[in-house]
Amino acid sequence: MSRAALVVIDVQESFRRRPSWAYASNPDIVARVDRLVAAARRRGDLVVWVLHAEPGTGGVFDPANGHVRLIEGLSPAPGEPTLVKTSHNAFTTTNLQQVLTTAGVREITVCGIRTEQCVETTARVGCDLGYEVTFVTDATVTFPTPHRDLPTTATPEEILADPRTLSSEEMTARTEYALAGRFATIRSVAELTGAAPAGARA
């Protein structure tokens, strides 16, 4: 039984099919996640893969279109569960809590796409459920975030041109500020893979 687990959230082809991917905060997310996965496996931690699906929508998150799959370069090892969610957080619409409980997990490390949405809400819910949560910000991806009054049809270029848009850096900083010391401990890939001492940021 494993006391710790790495939960990889939504690192899937769906996002790469969106025009906004050109403005992804960490386009090398696969390499960063791969380092975390390798370190988790060396420690004997459970690795859980989570994908987001929106069945019947006809979009990039509709499984019928073939994009609800891990980005090339990532793949589960035998025995590593892959869960499919339809909510932002990874707990509500999956049996993630059951998987973790069965494995004896009390500590979870979260990473993935989107920093302030799916990864953050998973961290918050995980904390509320009693898990000790580590949030690996530099192994997450986010995008410039439009003001609520901007039309949903706005292009990435229009979003970037709007002075009310929050940059990826601002979204990341706000997420860390909200989580740190309340819902999660913030760590870097380098810290968790042994490439930097604890407390260092990479």
Side-chain angles (χ1 to χ4, degrees):
M1 295 180 66
S2 175
R3 178 172 169 75
L6 173 66
V7 183
V8 182
I9 304 163
D10 300 353
V11 186
Q12 63 193 73
E13 187 64 25
S14 308
F15 283 101
R16 297 208 314 148
R17 298 289 168 160
R18 286 177 154 183
S20 58
W21 185 256
Y23 306 100
S25 59
N26 288 320
D28 61 339
I29 183 69
V30 169
R32 298 176 187 223
V33 169
D34 190 54
R35 288 171 60 193
L36 290 176
V37 169
R41 288 171 177 164
R42 286 195 300 270
R43 290 191 299 268
D45 295 346
L46 176 66
V47 178
V48 181
W49 305 85
V50 182
L51 299 171
H52 183 79
E54 298 173 2
T57 60
V60 294
F61 292 96
D62 189 334
N65 289 328
H67 305 313
V68 181
R69 53 187 168 82
L70 292 170
I71 296 175
E72 187 175 352
L74 297 174
S75 60
E80 293 177 352
T82 299
L83 311 179
V84 179
K85 65 181 179 65
T86 55
S87 62
H88 290 311
N89 80 80
F91 285 97
T92 303
T93 56
T94 73
N95 67 334
L96 176 58
Q97 186 178 9
Q98 180 184 25
V99 168
L100 298 177
T101 299
T102 300
V105 169
R106 297 308 313 153
E107 304 169 8
I108 61 172
T109 296
V110 296
C111 63
I113 307 176
R114 300 186 42 150
T115 308
E116 79 292 350
Q117 191 180 72
C118 298
V119 189
E120 179 183 6
T121 57
T122 298
R124 287 174 178 264
V125 174
C127 178
D128 284 347
L129 290 172
Y131 295 99
E132 185 177 326
V133 181
T134 297
F135 191 91
V136 194
T137 313
D138 64 337
T140 70
V141 168
T142 193
F143 308 89
T145 303
H147 188 271
R148 61 182 176 274
D149 292 337
L150 199 67
T152 56
T153 55
T155 65
E157 292 73 24
E158 290 170 332
I159 291 171
L160 288 172
D162 188 332
R164 301 170 299 177
T165 292
L166 292 179
S167 69
S168 298
E169 293 77 16
E170 289 174 305
M171 293 305 298
T172 298
R174 287 171 181 237
T175 301
E176 287 191 342
Y177 191 93
L179 291 177
R182 300 174 179 88
F183 298 97
T185 299
I186 310 298
R187 291 286 181 265
S188 69
V189 173
E191 288 177 88
L192 294 177
T193 59
R201 303 306 299 271

